[in-house]
Amino acid sequence: MTRDFNATAKTLSQALPYLQRYAGAIVVVKFGGNAMGDQDAMAEFARDIVLMKQVGLNPVVVHGGGPMINEMLDRLGIKSEFVRGKRVTDQATVEVVEMVLTGLVNKRIVQAIMDEGGRAVGLSGKDDDLLVAEADNPELGFVGRPVEMNVQVLHDLNTAGIIPVVAPVATGMDPAETFNVNGDTAAGAIAGALKADRLLLLTDVSGVKGADGEVLTELSPAKVTQLTDDGIIAGGMIPKTETALKAIEDGVRAVVILDGRIPNACLIELFTEYGAGTLIREARPAS
């Protein structure tokens, strides 16, 4: 038992430089994937976010909810059409998206954070014009791309000690319009507008893999572009790396694509020397 206590104390001691390094830092966390549907995983994620806030970071949670949207569409008998693998979001579908993301999913995450002793407020991109979007592709209907941001409300909440939890639903240039925004895209846009220190994209994969199938622990934007051109970064990883590159271009210090299925993935990435995925940032000059 003593050895266990000693190991815990040593871990805390080793974390000190990282706690000091991130004091006051803004960290945007995109939460999604299988963990959202698992009660224990949700509680663990919430505990990590509360700990981040408790030790002086300013986390902002942005979430998805695709499986929950699919389930509700099926229950309501609303059929989806797809164009080149992407869902066409008509008026009926976007109403379901808004209902599920801003209601069911958002409030589950808020409640999980509250249950772990944190303070959280749920909002969507429509609140205070946080996210204003335009159609990303007219063929897809109400699928949006953020074009204007107003992140003051996120600063205000963080200053008040409250963790913002954001559903990726946006208003349009016409206020009568509502757009569904990809969760990664929304997280990247919010992180860029906040000039966040870190954007953590939690996924169901271990990170960006090289030609040998091994996870690449650190990449520069130039290397990401090269790997994409070579076809090594492909499929569903391309939108995530594109989000990472855009966020870095907009002022985010670094982006990490990491496996959200790993227990305490965010804490491992931020507060240990090992990291938990693929870190993407501008190459540091040689000393």
Side-chain angles (χ1 to χ4, degrees), residues 46-275:
R47 195 175 305 118
D48 289 354
I49 294 295
V50 172
L51 178 60
M52 289 163 61
K53 187 66 176 178
Q54 190 68 39
V55 298
L57 281 74
N58 290 308
V60 175
V61 177
V62 181
H63 64 83
M68 294 78 166
I69 293 169
N70 292 338
E71 181 181 342
M72 184 60 72
L73 288 172
D74 288 342
R75 288 171 61 184
L76 295 174
I78 299 174
K79 295 184 178 180
S80 296
E81 296 181 7
F82 290 84
V83 173
R84 291 183 292 278
K86 294 184 178 181
R87 188 199 307 274
V88 176
T89 303
D90 58 13
Q91 184 63 44
T93 302
V94 80
E95 289 176 3
V96 173
V97 167
E98 183 172 17
M99 175 178 66
V100 172
L101 291 184
T102 65
L104 177 66
V105 178
N106 188 272
K107 300 318 172 190
R108 278 183 181 173
I109 299 170
V110 168
Q111 188 61 57
I113 292 172
M114 300 282 285
D115 288 345
E116 297 301 329
R119 299 178 65 199
V121 166
L123 61 162
S124 78
K126 295 177 75 173
D127 293 310
D128 202 29
D129 283 343
L130 172 58
L131 287 172
V132 179
E134 62 183 13
D136 193 31
N137 180 344
E139 287 186 279
L140 299 177
F142 294 101
V143 174
R145 173 175 53 85
V147 292
E148 292 183 10
M149 308 288 299
N150 177 24
V151 294
Q152 185 58 49
V153 66
L154 303 181
H155 286 299
D156 293 343
L157 289 170
N158 269 321
T159 299
I162 299 171
I163 299 165
V165 180
V166 183
V169 175
T171 189
M173 301 301 289
D174 177 350
E177 293 180 320
T178 297
F179 285 97
N180 178 24
V181 180
N182 174 273
D184 289 339
T185 302
I190 289 170
L194 289 169
K195 309 300 180 191
D197 191 277
R198 284 289 187 276
L199 167 60
L200 306 182
L201 298 175
L202 301 183
T203 71
D204 288 337
V205 296
S206 52
V208 180
K209 296 181 179 180
D212 59 0
E214 295 296 316
V215 174
L216 301 169
T217 56
E218 185 167 343
L219 294 170
S220 67
K223 186 64 174 178
V224 169
T225 300
Q226 178 188 329
L227 291 172
T228 304
D229 291 343
D230 292 343
I232 296 171
I233 293 177
M237 186 56 69
I238 290 178
K240 295 185 183 301
T241 53
E242 287 179 343
T243 292
L245 296 185
K246 180 65 166 61
I248 291 170
E249 180 183 321
D250 288 344
V252 176
R253 192 161 182 260
V255 180
V256 186
I257 299 173
L258 66 162
D259 191 344
R261 299 169 299 181
I262 297 174
N264 310 117
C266 293
L267 303 186
I268 293 170
E269 173 57 38
L270 294 172
F271 301 136
T272 75
E273 64 180 310
Y274 304 105

